[in-house]
Amino acid sequence: VRRAARAMLGFTAVLLLTPGAISRAVLGAKAGRSVLVLGGSGYVGREVCRNAVQQGYRVTSLSRRGVNPEPNSAELAEVNWVAGDATDPAVIKQLAGRADAAVHAIGLLFDAESGLGNFNFIVSGSRSVPGDTSTYDRITRLTAFNLISALKSKPRLPGLSKRTPLCFVSAAEAGWPEVEYGERVEALAPAWLVSYLAAKRLVEAELAASSGAIRPVVYRPSLIWDWKKLDVLPVIPVFNLLSALGVPFVDKTVRVETLGKAIVAGLNNEGVEGVQRFPQMEQLAALI
């Protein structure tokens, strides 16, 4: 099995090894590499930073405040916390130019145009509240496009340079057009959710069109949670039950710890590419 895994760089071959063996192998192989995490101080971003440090990456986080969200965390103390505006292409280009990999974990559920922005303090894992210009287009699409453009502009040797891995946190509902009854459900969705998903899909499309220079890995989690996320805990069993019963437009929920590990595993393994739904996320997380 180990010989086969070494001979094949595909995702399936990677999964044949035990999680412990993969973790030790990856740690040795990736030590010294650098990753830029946009939104590293956020709910998902901090888990990415934590696991990336554990895997031997040099980690830089870019966020509005540039502050370590968990000062007592030994792993997060090793992160380079940078304050800056991800909507500024120059800021992204400077940081991305020094990175071997990147993660886009910036996001918000209710933007400034939804009329529900203040509810982010309740539903956001980082208790972040958007500013007056924080629209889905600026916070999701523009920041991601800036990152994609910066990574594509990096000098590379034809036929020799590897593609730069870029992990993007999308949403399970972005895949509604691909599943049975999904389009009907979206037709009933509120305007803010339609706009939210539109921004996610624009980024997914741009990533797919940029796969020559970038290895895009798109994560589509449903509800993301941990035991402190009291706003979603009551509905977690409902989502999980509907998913288990085979309702095509409802995905099983994903723990934030699982998502953070799955993202770093996606950075590590060159055979991982494209859309990752909850089964793939769970498999990837088991490798860390």
Side-chain angles (χ1 to χ4, degrees):
V1 171
R2 292 179 184 273
R3 286 195 297 272
R6 286 195 296 268
M8 299 175 63
L9 293 179
F11 179 54
T12 303
V14 170
L15 291 180
L16 292 175
L17 293 178
T18 64
I22 283 284
S23 183
R24 291 190 295 272
V26 165
L27 181 57
K30 303 301 178 185
R33 294 196 66 189
S34 59
V35 60
L36 171 63
V37 182
L38 299 192
S41 62
Y43 184 55
V44 173
R46 72 186 67 178
E47 289 300 320
V48 174
C49 291
R50 192 190 325 275
N51 283 283
V53 167
Q54 291 173 350
Q55 290 289 295
Y57 284 91
R58 300 191 310 275
V59 182
T60 296
S61 163
L62 176 67
S63 62
R64 287 183 298 167
R65 294 181 293 273
V67 175
N68 182 351
E70 298 180 20
N72 295 326
S73 167
E75 291 89 359
L76 296 187
E78 298 184 30
V79 174
N80 177 27
W81 300 99
V82 177
D85 182 3
T87 66
D88 184 342
V91 171
I92 298 295
K93 188 171 185 178
Q94 181 180 21
L95 294 174
R98 301 193 293 265
D100 301 308
V103 175
H104 186 285
I106 298 176
L108 73 170
L109 185 58
F110 302 123
D111 76 348
E113 296 178 346
S114 69
L116 302 169
N118 288 333
F119 285 100
N120 281 292
F121 184 80
I122 299 172
V123 301
S124 169
S126 61
R127 298 293 186 264
S128 178
V129 177
D132 294 338
T133 62
S134 297
T135 64
Y136 298 125
D137 184 71
R138 286 179 57 80
I139 300 303
T140 300
R141 185 202 61 80
L142 180 57
T143 59
F145 275 39
N146 285 345
L147 181 57
I148 293 168
S149 177
L151 294 178
K152 287 169 64 177
S153 70
K154 293 179 63 174
R156 53 186 72 243
L157 298 174
L160 295 177
S161 298
K162 293 182 179 180
R163 294 182 299 163
T164 304
L166 170 53
C167 295
F168 172 65
V169 181
S170 186
E173 295 76 16
W176 271 347
E178 303 164 16
V179 301
E180 190 175 10
Y181 306 121
E183 291 184 332
R184 296 184 187 180
V185 173
E186 185 164 344
L188 302 173
W192 67 264
L193 181 55
V194 173
S195 297
Y196 171 88
L197 296 177
K200 296 286 190 183
R201 289 170 185 149
L202 286 172
V203 176
E204 289 192 14
E206 184 68 13
L207 283 169
S210 306
S211 59
I214 292 170
R215 175 168 61 84
V217 189
V218 175
Y219 295 82
R220 286 184 181 171
S222 178
L223 292 179
I224 307 169
W225 65 284
D226 63 17
W227 290 111
K228 297 178 182 178
K229 200 79 166 52
L230 301 180
D231 59 300
V232 298
L233 285 181
V235 297
I236 295 298
V238 177
F239 272 65
N240 290 346
L241 177 60
L242 292 175
S243 177
L245 291 174
V247 177
F249 50 85
V250 178
D251 273 17
K252 180 182 176 184
T253 62
V254 178
R255 285 188 61 120
V256 68
E257 298 90 348
T258 298
L259 180 55
K261 290 179 179 179
I263 289 172
V264 175
L267 295 177
N268 289 344
N269 296 285
E270 294 180 11
V272 181
E273 186 169 345
V275 173
Q276 314 295 311
R277 293 181 65 184
F278 72 89
Q280 291 79 31
M281 285 183 254
E282 292 175 350
Q283 292 174 24
L284 284 168
L287 303 181
I288 299 295

